[in-house]
Amino acid sequence: MSTAPDLAGSELEAAVRLFELEGDLVEIVGLHRGHIHDTLVSTWQVGGESDGHRRFVHQRLNDRVFRDIPALMHNVGVVTRHLARAGGADGLTALALVGARDGADYAFARDTPWRTYHFVEGTESYDHPKDADMARSAALAFGDFQIKLSTLPASELRQTIPNFFNSEARLAQLDDACRRNPLERVAEVQEELAFIDARRKQLSVFENALRTGRMPRRVIHGDTKLNNVLFDSETGKPRCIVDLDTCMPGYSLFDFGDLVRFTAATSDEDERDLDLVDVDMDLFKALRDGYMEKASGFLNAFEVDHMAFAARIVTLTIGMRFLADHVMGDHYFKIEREGHNLDRARVQLRMVETMERRL
Ligand code: GN1
Ligand code: MG
C-alpha cells in the first residue's frame, strides 16, 4: 500500500486514520516533495461507486527541524483560518487542514506528529516557470498572499524556528559550524567561505534596517518557491499557495528575494554543473512587475529600493544554510547523495555572483 520512507503500510494506515476522514481507504502513495517533512497522499472511496474518490495530503512532521510542533501547528491553524476568511475572489483558494479525530489540528502516531490537508484537485506545480507569464502570476499570487496576511496581527503568530529570516544569525550559525567542524569538511569549502566572508557587511543591512525601523517587520510566507504555488491545470492560473510552515513575522523583501532565487534560476537548486547556473533577466523582470503590482501599495521607499539586493541577500543566506548543514553533517535538509547540500550551496553562491553582475 505504501511507498513512504521507512514506515510499514500498516503504520501509515494507522497514521492517516487518526484524522477525520470518511469512506474506504483505497491507497496511500508517497509524494516526493520538500527538504523537511515526509509527504503522502491517500485516496478514499466515498458514497459507493457513484460518488467517487477523495484525496488528502498527509505529512509526517520533522520535529528535529521544527522543535516546537505545537507552535508550528498553532501558526498553520491561525493562517489557514485567516486565509479562508479572507476569501478568494481572484480564484485563489486557501489550503485547509483536516482535523484529527480528537479535534486537534495534528495527531501523534508512535510519538511522531502528523497533519492532514485537503488535496487541491486539478492543479499542478512547477520547479521552473513555463514562461514569463507564469512567473508573473506566481509573483502576483505571493503579493496577494502578503496583502491577506497584513490583516493578521503578528502577535497571533509564534516563531516556529527562531531567527529563521535573520541573515546575521545565519552567518553566526555558519561560523559556529566551521568552528566545530565535526567531519573536517571545512578544508574543502575554503573558496565558498571566502566568498561569504567578503559579503559579511551586506548580511547586516536588513537586520540594521529592522532595528532602526527603516524597514517594517511584516508577516510573510517565508518559503516562496515556485513549487509552493499550485496552478490550475485548465486555466494555468494560481489556485492555491501551500507550505505555510514559515508564515510568521519577517520582512516582505524576504519573500520577494526567495521568489527570485528559485524562480528566475536557469538551473535546478542542486545543479552540479555550475556553468548552467544563471539568473534569467526576463523572469526577474516578470517577478518584479508581478510582485510590485500587488506590493507597491504597501512597500516603503527603502523596500522598493532594495528589491534586487534582497534577491542577492536571501540567495546568499540560503546558500549559507546549505553550507552550514553540509559542514555539520547534513542533519537539517534531506539529502539524496553525498555532498548534496554542498552542491546546493554552490548553486546559491553562483547565483549571487550572477545577480551581482546582472540585477
Ligand atoms: C526548505 O522543505 P522545503 O523545500 O519546503 C526550507 C526553506 C528553504 C528551502 C530551500 C523549514 O523548504 O527555508 O528555503 O528548503 N524550509 C525550512 O529549498 O527550513
Ligand atoms: Mg517549505
Side-chain angles (χ1 to χ4, degrees):
M1 173 173 268
S2 94
T3 57
D6 74 2
L7 270 184
S10 58
E11 290 176 74
L12 295 179
E13 193 176 326
V16 308
R17 286 191 187 282
L18 292 167
F19 294 88
E20 199 63 64
L21 299 171
E22 282 167 25
D24 296 322
L25 182 57
V26 179
E27 63 167 2
I28 304 177
V29 294
L31 192 69
H32 194 74
R33 212 170 196 287
H35 300 327
I36 310 288
H37 309 300
D38 294 320
T39 304
L40 314 167
V41 175
S42 71
T43 304
W44 300 69
Q45 169 85 43
V46 274
E49 292 293 315
S50 57
D51 200 340
H53 286 157
R54 284 203 195 126
R55 293 197 284 174
F56 298 90
V57 177
H58 308 275
Q59 288 187 305
R60 181 168 64 158
L61 302 174
N62 183 330
D63 53 7
R64 278 183 303 117
V65 164
F66 289 97
R67 293 180 179 273
D68 189 348
I69 296 289
L72 169 70
M73 291 311 298
H74 165 86
N75 282 10
V76 172
V78 166
V79 171
T80 50
R81 283 168 202 124
H82 178 81
L83 292 173
R85 274 194 304 273
D90 40 16
L92 283 163
T93 53
L95 195 62
L97 284 164
V98 176
R101 294 200 183 276
D102 67 0
D105 281 337
Y106 62 106
F108 285 91
R110 291 184 160 213
D111 294 338
T112 313
W114 287 78
R115 73 176 165 213
T116 297
Y117 288 115
H118 289 271
F119 193 98
V120 186
E121 296 288 352
T123 59
E124 277 149 49
S125 68
Y126 301 83
D127 285 336
H128 298 284
K130 285 202 228 168
D131 50 30
D133 258 2
M134 178 176 265
R136 190 174 168 281
S137 68
L140 275 167
F142 279 120
D144 177 77
F145 192 86
Q146 286 191 341
I147 291 176
K148 285 179 180 147
L149 288 182
S150 68
T151 51
L152 179 62
S155 58
E156 285 192 30
L157 295 174
R158 307 193 185 144
Q159 289 278 338
T160 55
I161 299 178
N163 285 323
F164 191 74
F165 305 114
N166 182 333
S167 296
E168 286 178 343
R170 295 305 192 176
L171 180 60
Q173 280 166 6
L174 175 62
D175 286 342
D176 185 53
C178 291
R179 257 192 310 274
R180 293 207 226 167
N181 197 11
L183 302 172
E184 295 184 6
R185 288 179 169 176
V186 170
E188 61 169 352
V189 298
Q190 286 305 309
E191 216 180 299
E192 288 74 17
L193 291 173
F195 182 91
I196 294 161
D197 208 40
R199 289 158 182 79
R200 268 176 192 269
K201 277 208 187 117
Q202 296 180 22
L203 291 163
S204 290
V205 169
F206 287 144
E207 285 311 308
N208 281 332
L210 287 166
R211 278 190 286 266
T212 57
R214 273 188 304 154
M215 187 169 75
R217 212 169 269 288
R218 302 185 209 267
V219 178
I220 63 168
H221 179 275
D223 191 6
T224 52
K225 302 206 278 199
L226 182 67
N227 56 25
N228 281 332
V229 182
L230 305 183
F231 290 88
D232 190 288
S233 312
E234 272 174 26
T235 66
K237 298 219 168 81
R239 268 266 300 286
C240 187
I241 286 186
V242 300
D243 190 354
L244 310 173
D245 292 344
T246 48
C247 274
M248 56 184 164
Y251 59 96
S252 297
L253 290 186
F254 183 93
D255 276 357
F256 177 70
D258 198 21
L259 188 58
V260 174
R261 173 190 83 81
F262 193 85
T263 311
T266 54
S267 75
D268 286 340
E269 192 181 54
D270 57 356
E271 175 59 57
R272 272 185 271 204
D273 180 355
L274 292 180
D275 289 341
L276 300 178
V277 178
D278 204 341
V279 51
D280 181 320
M281 284 310 290
D282 289 335
L283 293 177
F284 171 75
K285 286 177 194 148
L287 293 170
R288 187 192 53 200
D289 295 349
Y291 181 68
M292 276 308 269
E293 194 173 320
K294 292 285 179 181
S296 59
F298 63 83
L299 294 183
N300 72 17
F302 176 91
E303 291 172 297
V304 173
D305 284 348
H306 286 78
M307 287 176 72
F309 182 71
R312 285 158 44 189
I313 288 307
V314 173
T315 306
L316 182 59
T317 302
I318 293 177
M320 294 185 324
R321 291 176 55 199
F322 286 137
L323 188 60
D325 198 32
H326 171 74
V327 170
M328 287 306 291
D330 308 301
H331 298 298
Y332 188 100
F333 298 104
K334 285 193 244 172
I335 56 166
E336 279 140 38
R337 59 179 190 246
E338 183 90 356
H340 205 163
N341 278 317
L342 179 56
D343 293 341
R344 290 169 176 149
R346 285 183 169 147
V347 170
Q348 306 313 302
L349 301 189
R350 178 60 70 91
M351 280 287 283
V352 172
E353 215 177 310
T354 60
M355 286 172 176
E356 287 174 344
R357 271 186 283 118
R358 291 188 194 277
L359 304 190

